[in-house]
Every structure is written in structure tokens, then in C-alpha cells.
Amino acid sequence: MKKHIIKIAFTIIWTILGLWISLPVDNGREIGDIWMEGGDLLVKTSEPTFDFGFFAIFMIPVAVLWIWSLFSNESKDTPVKRKSRMF
């Protein structure tokens, strides 16, 4: 049971971290704004978009963790406790 709680906590933390990294940052400028930065003239031509490909690659360790736990034999190695029939 403890291993499942650790896997669930890891999944939640990793997902939040992945979303935080891959969500686009809005700098408060609107489309068509022109500004100078480092000697270059920049123009905002579109809104930033969510990069689903990076997020999917970032989530591969979580998928491997859950697939590994699905096919592993963790419960077969533990001894089964049986009740004694003696009074």
C-alpha cells in the first residue's frame, strides 16, 4: 500500500512540474506590439501555445513507472499470513 501512495504522489508532483514547465509564459504584450530588446526590433505576431509534444515526452517516466508496476510481481514474493486452526 505504501508503494502505491509513493507512486501516486510522484505522479501528481511530476504532472504539476510538467505543466508548470510547458505552459507558455505571457509577457503582457498584445499581438502587434513592437519593442526593442538587446538591439533587435521584436514584434509579437501570435499567442504562445501549449507544447503537447514536450509534455508527452516529459511524462514518459510516469508511464514507465505505472506499466512496470502493472507487470511486476511485487505481491507474489510476500508470504501469506494464515490463521491458525488451533484454539
Side-chain angles (χ1 to χ4, degrees):
M1 184 68 182
K2 185 177 180 181
K3 291 181 181 180
H4 293 296
I5 293 172
I6 292 172
K7 284 188 270 192
I8 291 170
F10 174 75
T11 302
I12 291 170
I13 292 170
W14 196 260
T15 303
I16 291 171
L17 181 67
L19 286 172
W20 181 58
I21 290 173
S22 60
L23 282 177
V25 177
D26 185 25
N27 56 5
R29 301 179 196 267
E30 294 183 13
I31 294 177
D33 286 351
I34 301 172
W35 69 95
M36 292 289 290
E37 186 175 305
D40 295 330
L41 182 64
L42 302 174
V43 179
K44 184 171 182 178
T45 57
S46 65
E47 292 293 329
T49 58
F50 180 73
D51 188 10
F52 186 73
F54 174 75
F55 182 72
I57 291 171
F58 192 78
M59 294 305 289
I60 288 175
V62 173
V64 169
L65 174 76
W66 284 100
I67 291 171
W68 179 267
S69 68
L70 181 66
F71 292 112
S72 68
N73 297 328
E74 294 174 354
S75 61
K76 291 184 179 179
D77 295 336
T78 58
V80 177
K81 293 183 181 179
R82 301 181 189 267
K83 291 185 178 181
S84 173
R85 294 186 181 162
M86 297 179 64
F87 297 121

